[in-house]
Amino acid sequence: MTLPIVDSMLRGDLRRQILTTLKTEKEISLLWRDLSKFHARGEQNLMAIEQALIAAVEKNGLVKVSAGYKDDREVRQGAEEARNSGMCFGADEYTRVDCKVCLEGVFKPIAENTPTDKFLHLLVKMECMRTMESMLMLVKSVHDDAVVRTYVRKLFSTITSICKDSNDLFIKESMTQLYFEVYHTFRRVMEKSSQQAYETDFENYVFEWNGKFPEDDVVARYNDKVSVTLSLSAKSENSVSSKQELPDKTTLIRATTKDKFDLFLDAANAFTFSEMPKVKELGTPEKIRQLVECMLQEKDTIADTFGHTAAMLEFLGFFKWIGEKHVSGYKVSQFDSWCSKNVMGKASGTAFRHYRLSVGVNPTDNDNASHKYLGWKYKSVVVEEYKKILEG
């Protein structure tokens, strides 16, 4: 797990003295504006975050990040394929990670006086966000605590090196925040191992790069945020383990964070997705979840990812099911809007239409622009994937 954007701020073209020779303040201001619009939407979809960062830094000739993102994606896909085929990574157990710890606001805000300040600070925030989402996806892919611990330790090492090498206070504080967000998010996984060659004390960690302990108010905010999050998490876990009903919503906020598969199922089950003949035939919630994970899995390109999803939804007959069972006169444009939101993470629009149309095209028909959206490529693939899950 690497942090290429932050690394470039230390050693590459995102160093302030280099960046200002490559881009004018006006150009940097436009880059920040576009990235800020994305960040303001609160998008948590990993692929969307990666595409926004690629557009901001790689397509503008600043940092090459897509190869690293592809490597991470291939690791997750390989793990999922191996797991689905019955392979096991080792004898270690699997710990679900449902509570994502956020320590935003622990450190005092640092003034942003120029477009360059805003652009670089936002890049750091989004790289941290991307790193956390990638780690959470890794957990769901590998189902193996030992593998997760290896990646977390490597990430800790990378973050610590950055803190020691950087002279930028914002980077140091942001990396420290990320370090302890990762530590507390994956704490149950990490503490199952007796090997603990990493710092777990917030004050000591800050002292290592700052030469002095953090101010009392910083420590107080850190302790408050950690204690609240962990307290809610513990209450939720105890409630589930004891099979008791959760307290009223006014007295307890659940600390679990739903992933994209849960969110899709929640939305799709409003149209009784799990009751569709092919889905119901799978027989168990575990297999239905496996189907959704397969259907929404990230692939090398966006066209592959959403083309594959469109092919699976066509095979399952979801659009026809909604029209026949739930909404009389349901329009295909309504379905495209639903999929654009619940599959692609779009706030509005009908972008999914292109992928849906591509499922039925002839790939040799170059006059049909829909062929580039690749749904046709997966028309037979999804049938085999479904059979494999059904018979597994």
Side-chain angles (χ1 to χ4, degrees), residues 58-268:
E58 183 165 316
K59 292 183 178 179
N60 287 286
L62 297 173
V63 190
K64 292 183 177 179
V65 294
S66 58
Y69 297 167
K70 181 181 178 182
D71 289 344
D72 288 349
R73 186 161 56 248
E74 288 178 348
V75 168
R76 295 194 299 269
Q77 289 176 352
E80 288 176 359
E81 290 170 4
R83 180 163 53 82
N84 289 339
S85 66
M87 293 177 61
C88 181
F89 292 99
D92 210 342
E93 58 188 52
Y94 165 52
T95 303
R96 289 182 63 90
V97 178
D98 294 319
C99 179
K100 181 171 64 176
V101 175
C102 177
L103 300 177
E104 184 69 31
V106 166
F107 293 102
K108 297 176 182 177
I110 293 178
E112 297 175 336
N113 300 315
T114 67
T116 300
D117 290 341
K118 289 181 176 292
F119 180 53
L120 293 178
H121 288 189
L122 188 54
L123 282 176
V124 173
K125 291 179 182 177
M126 287 195 57
E127 178 147 81
C128 291
M129 184 191 308
R130 183 261 163 195
T131 302
M132 177 63 82
E133 294 303 320
S134 182
M135 288 298 302
L136 290 169
M137 289 290 287
L138 178 70
V139 172
K140 295 179 176 68
S141 297
V142 301
H143 279 213
D144 189 289
D145 288 354
V147 175
V148 174
R149 283 194 290 269
T150 297
Y151 276 88
V152 171
R153 291 191 190 104
K154 288 180 179 178
L155 179 59
F156 282 169
S157 178
T158 299
I159 293 173
T160 301
S161 294
I162 290 173
C163 287
K164 291 179 180 178
D165 295 344
S166 177
N167 294 318
D168 188 307
L169 181 60
F170 182 82
I171 290 178
K172 288 175 177 286
E173 291 182 345
S174 298
M175 292 295 98
T176 300
Q177 177 181 319
L178 175 62
Y179 183 102
F180 284 95
E181 285 178 343
V182 170
Y183 168 63
H184 288 294
T185 297
F186 301 96
R187 186 170 181 171
R188 289 193 301 137
V189 178
M190 300 303 291
E191 291 183 348
K192 287 186 176 181
S193 170
S194 58
Q195 299 178 16
Q196 188 177 305
Y198 51 88
E199 182 61 71
T200 61
D201 185 273
F202 176 74
E203 294 181 72
N204 285 339
Y205 193 87
V206 173
F207 179 85
E208 284 297 316
W209 58 256
N210 197 32
K212 61 181 181 179
F213 290 118
E215 300 293 333
D216 291 344
D217 60 332
V218 174
V219 177
R221 286 195 294 271
Y222 169 81
N223 289 332
D224 286 345
K225 287 180 178 292
V226 171
S227 63
V228 168
T229 302
L230 296 183
S231 175
L232 290 172
S233 178
K235 288 180 181 179
S236 180
E237 289 171 14
N238 290 337
S239 176
V240 172
S241 63
S242 62
K243 299 183 180 180
Q244 296 176 350
E245 291 185 2
L246 285 171
D248 186 83
K249 290 182 180 180
T250 59
T251 61
L252 174 62
I253 302 174
R254 290 195 65 189
T256 55
T257 302
K258 292 186 176 182
D259 58 27
K260 66 177 182 180
F261 311 116
D262 296 321
L263 294 174
F264 175 86
L265 271 172
D266 286 349

